[in-house]
Amino acid sequence: MCRELKREPSWVAAIRLAFLRGRVDVESVVEEANLVPGKERTVRDVLETMARRGVLEETDADGAYVPGPVLLESDRYDLNFERASDGGAHRWRSTG
């Protein structure tokens, strides 16, 4: 995360949104990651890559994604996410 500008990688924001909201799109990732305008194409590429790798799954033509098998089968999916934004997805600890 870029602490000075309070920005984080788009893939971290996408995972957090997938866990918390169950749905991810370019606009929500740009907002969640606090990205500067003009990064939409980069975010779109990141989401497409995540979908190819099974982290996300594309829903339909509206450009939205839902959690894919990689996230659903991870040991982190059943964690308590009430305070997920405190520290980011990369700092969540397993409950086992």
Side-chain angles (χ1 to χ4, degrees), residues 75-76 79 93-96:
D75 65 342
R76 305 212 186 281
L79 294 177
R93 285 181 265 149
S94 179
T95 59

Side-chain angles (χ1 to χ4, degrees), residues 17 25-32 40 43-44 47 62-63:
L17 289 170
D25 59 23
V26 172
E27 294 79 22
S28 64
V29 172
V30 168
E31 181 181 338
E32 181 73 14
E40 293 81 7
V43 171
R44 191 171 294 108
L47 295 179
D62 74 347

Side-chain angles (χ1 to χ4, degrees), residues 22-24 57-66:
R23 185 178 188 282
V24 179
E57 195 170 284
E58 193 167 11
T59 58
D60 51 37
D62 74 347
Y65 296 83
V66 294

Side-chain angles (χ1 to χ4, degrees), residues 33-55:
N34 193 31
L35 298 176
V36 295
K39 295 295 183 183
E40 293 81 7
R41 187 172 139 204
T42 301
V43 171
R44 191 171 294 108
D45 289 345
V46 167
L47 295 179
E48 289 172 1
T49 299
M50 292 175 80
R52 278 196 309 274
R53 295 178 179 173
V55 177

